[in-house]
């Protein structure tokens, strides 16, 4: 007996809409429009007969020209993952299905690359559904959903589980998913090791209870247990069959690669969506490769339901002449300013994390989006204690620089008079300290690689401090973007201008292709120039301060959740020793 030959079949659930001159096809997560000929709808009827579930393996003979057109359309369908190869019995006489002749369940055939193998894995899984009340609506709904997916579940009573908690697990491979259904909503965890899932469910439940509002009157809608049960079964069965998890970050910019996603459901109004769980197990592949990815991780850390930080937001704060964002911290409201809102958000997240850790741990760690960013922040703080030469540098050293001149003028307009400036070089290093004051009060300080950079950042710091005070916000906790973040912000290419010198297009390196018409008056260009000077500045400040930075470990159990979330999102936390007091 010869081995069954796989045959291409249209995936279950594909919908087709005839157009005047073509076709529009829709599948799970993909669509395809074919246009250009009024013969396409008639051609589709022939192709559907060959690709449908009732095809007998003996296609109708057609002219060679039509056969070529059918082959072209078939190739496009496969390109868009609208076809699947299903095995049939030898002789091409039976309809496609499992090797034993039984028809495949529609669900794996609609999503799996190898539906027969997926269906076999589901049938062999034998999931166990555990709940305090095995006859409750949650356990029964999960068991029904698993059975509809092609598995054969067993329901067991487990007295130790909280009310409303259901755990569905299989032993080969060892994986589980947990759900919680309460009067006001519930959640479904990411697939993981069974022991890990139970710990995750307890942690997510505690996190949600901390921010919970009183539940509405009466029981939850009848659809809520069914929704959560269906999601539980889907996530478990996808893990068993080797299919993508519904909580994968593809197509959802809020979710992160390598971080678990938790489905959160609300009863009133009824809704459900996936949220990143920054404090969950595991970590990302590494530090963010640029500002956009860093901000995705900031968003995860500040998720309103599962986050560990208050999300930095511009809210109603002014964004001109500089950008302001604010967030809550254990030490009070933090206000952060920068030339752009996205840069302010990154600076705010790092400083808020530092204030959060300081409230839980006796050490004073420094947080950065990557190791260089954290080290740059730490070195600048140490350098503020270093004495400068004391000799003011001439205004000519910075007045012609467009960024320094711009922020200095903006600060003067805000003050109503010229600011006071102290500017000096730190020892013999290529590092400069600028201190900006108004009416004898220090408003901003900065250490950068050139006099102009130092004046620009210090003036920007002073300006954003005054903007915050003018908006009624205390400036007790205030910070500003520095050149430490510039390499992250410059690690990108302008649209349509690839850098031919970059060896790996998938991993952009710092710098960008200059379009030829920008100068340092443009923020992007200035940040790129700052990025080019940052590595040398870190070396200079390292020699100047003698600072040593090492990876930080929490000394208290209270700090571990926040520390784990930062580590899991690829952020760097350093503890410093040595340097000037």
């Amino acid at each position: 007996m010869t081995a069954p030959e796989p045959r291409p079949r249209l995936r279950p659930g594909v919908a087709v809409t005839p157009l005047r001159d073509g076709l529009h096809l829709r599948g799970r997560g993909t669509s395809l429009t074919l246009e250009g000929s009024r013969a396409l709808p008639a051609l589709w009827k022939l192709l559907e007969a060959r690709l449908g579930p009732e095809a007998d393996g003996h296609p109708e003979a057609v002219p060679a020209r039509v056969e070529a057109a059918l082959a072209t359309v078939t190739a496009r369908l496969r390109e868009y993952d609208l076809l699947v190869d299903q095995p049939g019995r030898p002789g091409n006489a039976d309809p496609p299905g499992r090797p034993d002749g039984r028809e495949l369940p529609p669900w794996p055939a609609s999503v799996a690359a190898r539906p027969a193998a997926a269906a076999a894995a589901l049938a062999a899984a034998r999931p166990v559904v555990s709940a305090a009340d095995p006859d409750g609506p949650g356990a029964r709904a999960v068991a029904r959903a698993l059975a509809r997916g092609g598995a054969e579940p067993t329901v067991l009573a487990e007295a130790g589980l909280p009310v409303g908690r259901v755990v569905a697990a299989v032993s080969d491979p060892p994986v589980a998913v947990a759900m919680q259904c309460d009067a006001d909503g519930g959640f479904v965890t990411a697939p993981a090791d069974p022991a890990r899932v139970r710990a995750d469910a307890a942690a997510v439940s505690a996190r949600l209870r901390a921010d919970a509002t009183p539940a509405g009157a009466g029981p939850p809608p009848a659809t809520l247990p069914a929704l959560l049960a269906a999601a539980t079964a889907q996530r478990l069965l996808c893990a068993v069959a080797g299919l993508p998890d519904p909580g994968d970050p593809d197509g959802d910019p809020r979710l992160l690669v390598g971080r678990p996603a938790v489905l959160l459901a609300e009863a009133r109004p009824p809704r459900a969506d996936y949220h990143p769980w920054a404090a969950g197990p595991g970590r990302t592949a590494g530090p963010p490769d640029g500002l956009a990815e860093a901000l995705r991780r900031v968003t995860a850390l500040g998720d309103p339901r599962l986050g560990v930080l208050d999300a930095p937001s511009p809210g109603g704060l002014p964004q001109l002449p500089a950008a302001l964002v604010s967030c809550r911290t254990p030490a009070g409201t933090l206000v952060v300013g920068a030339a752009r809102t996205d840069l302010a958000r990154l600076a705010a997240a790092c400083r808020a994390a530092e204030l959060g850790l300081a409230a839980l741990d006796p050490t004073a760690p420094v947080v950065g989006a990557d190791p260089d960013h954290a080290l740059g922040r730490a070195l600048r703080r140490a350098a503020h204690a270093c004495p400068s030469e004391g000799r003011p540098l001439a205004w000519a050293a910075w007045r012609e620089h467009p960024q320094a001149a711009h922020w200095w003028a903006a600060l003067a307009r805000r003050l109503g008079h010229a600011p006071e400036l102290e500017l000096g070089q730190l020892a013999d290093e290529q590092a400069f300290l600028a201190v900006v004051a108004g009416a004898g009060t220090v408003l901003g300080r900065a250490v950068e690689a050139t006099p102009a950079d130092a004046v620009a950042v210090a003036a920007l710091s002073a300006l954003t401090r005054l903007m915050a005070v003018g908006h009624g916000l205390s400036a007790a906790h205030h910070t500003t973007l520095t050149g430490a973040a510039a390499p992250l912000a410059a690690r990108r290419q302008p649209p349509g201008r690839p850098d031919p010198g970059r060896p790996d297009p998938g991993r952009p390196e710092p710098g960008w292709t200059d379009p030829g018409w920008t100068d340092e008056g443009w923020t992007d260009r200035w940040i790129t120039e700052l990025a080019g000077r940052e590595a040398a500045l870190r070396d200079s400040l390292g020699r100047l301060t003698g600072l040593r930075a090492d990876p930080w470990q929490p000394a208290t159990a209270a700090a571990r959740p926040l520390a784990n979330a930062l580590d899991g999102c690829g952020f760097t936390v350093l503890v410093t020793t040595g340097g000037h007091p």
Side-chain angles (χ1 to χ4, degrees), residues 254-255 260-264 273-277 303-306:
R254 300 172 305 166
L255 306 179
V262 177
L263 181 72
L264 299 182
D273 56 358
Y274 284 97
H275 288 246
W277 186 27
D303 183 82
R305 299 293 305 278
L306 296 177

Side-chain angles (χ1 to χ4, degrees), residues 54-229:
E54 302 301 325
D56 61 5
H58 300 285
E60 177 184 350
V62 295
R65 184 177 178 182
V66 175
E67 193 68 51
L70 292 170
T72 299
V73 175
T74 301
R76 296 303 304 277
L77 295 176
R78 188 174 295 280
E79 179 184 348
Y80 280 79
D81 199 29
L82 296 172
L83 296 182
V84 64
D85 289 326
Q86 292 186 350
R89 284 192 171 184
N92 296 332
D94 293 321
R98 296 180 179 177
D100 60 8
R102 288 185 292 150
E103 193 67 25
L104 288 172
W107 174 64
S110 67
V111 294
R114 299 176 58 203
L122 298 178
R126 300 292 191 271
V128 175
V129 179
S130 302
D133 180 9
D135 295 322
R140 291 200 309 268
V142 170
R144 288 195 300 268
L146 289 169
R148 287 195 300 269
E152 299 180 10
T154 300
V155 182
L156 299 178
E158 185 176 332
L161 288 176
V163 175
R165 181 81 47 83
V166 179
V167 178
V170 298
S171 58
D172 187 19
V175 64
V177 175
M179 84 170 224
Q180 179 75 39
C181 184
D182 298 317
D184 56 348
F187 62 83
V188 177
T189 66
D193 174 85
R196 177 77 255 179
V197 160
R198 291 172 181 267
D200 293 349
V204 172
S205 181
R207 175 68 181 86
L208 294 177
R209 282 200 305 269
D211 295 335
T213 55
T223 56
L224 183 63
L227 182 151
L228 293 169

Side-chain angles (χ1 to χ4, degrees), residues 64 90 125 184 235 287 309 312 324 331 335 416 419 427 457 462 484 486 575-576:
D184 56 348
R235 301 193 83 171
L309 298 174
L324 293 182
V335 182
V457 174
V575 62
T576 59

Side-chain angles (χ1 to χ4, degrees), residues 430-511:
Q430 190 63 27
F432 300 85
L433 170 64
V435 180
V436 174
T441 301
V442 174
L443 299 175
R445 300 165 62 91
V447 173
E448 295 296 338
T450 69
D453 290 344
V455 171
V457 174
L460 175 61
S461 177
L463 174 63
T464 55
R465 185 185 295 272
L466 293 177
M467 289 172 62
V469 172
H471 202 72
L473 291 175
S474 169
H477 301 290
H478 172 269
T479 191
T480 309
L481 169 80
T482 69
L488 279 166
R491 203 170 295 165
R492 61 181 179 81
Q493 300 293 326
R497 295 298 301 268
D499 184 355
R502 181 160 51 87
D504 180 6
R507 300 286 296 178
E509 296 296 332

Side-chain angles (χ1 to χ4, degrees), residues 10 13-19 22-27 41 44 48 77 82:
L10 199 65
V14 172
V16 183
T17 301
L19 307 176
L23 300 164
H24 179 67
L25 300 95
R26 301 172 303 283
W44 176 253
E48 191 174 30
L77 295 176
L82 296 172

Side-chain angles (χ1 to χ4, degrees), residues 383-477:
H384 283 302
C386 296
S388 68
E389 290 185 348
R391 174 179 56 83
L393 296 178
W395 279 44
W398 61 271
R399 281 295 287 177
E400 297 303 317
H401 191 281
Q403 289 288 330
H406 169 73
W407 295 116
W408 185 264
L411 175 61
R413 287 193 296 271
R414 175 70 60 165
L415 285 171
H417 57 80
E420 304 161 19
L421 173 66
E422 294 181 11
L423 176 65
Q425 187 172 5
L426 299 178
D428 293 327
E429 298 291 345
Q430 190 63 27
F432 300 85
L433 170 64
V435 180
V436 174
T441 301
V442 174
L443 299 175
R445 300 165 62 91
V447 173
E448 295 296 338
T450 69
D453 290 344
V455 171
V457 174
L460 175 61
S461 177
L463 174 63
T464 55
R465 185 185 295 272
L466 293 177
M467 289 172 62
V469 172
H471 202 72
L473 291 175
S474 169
H477 301 290

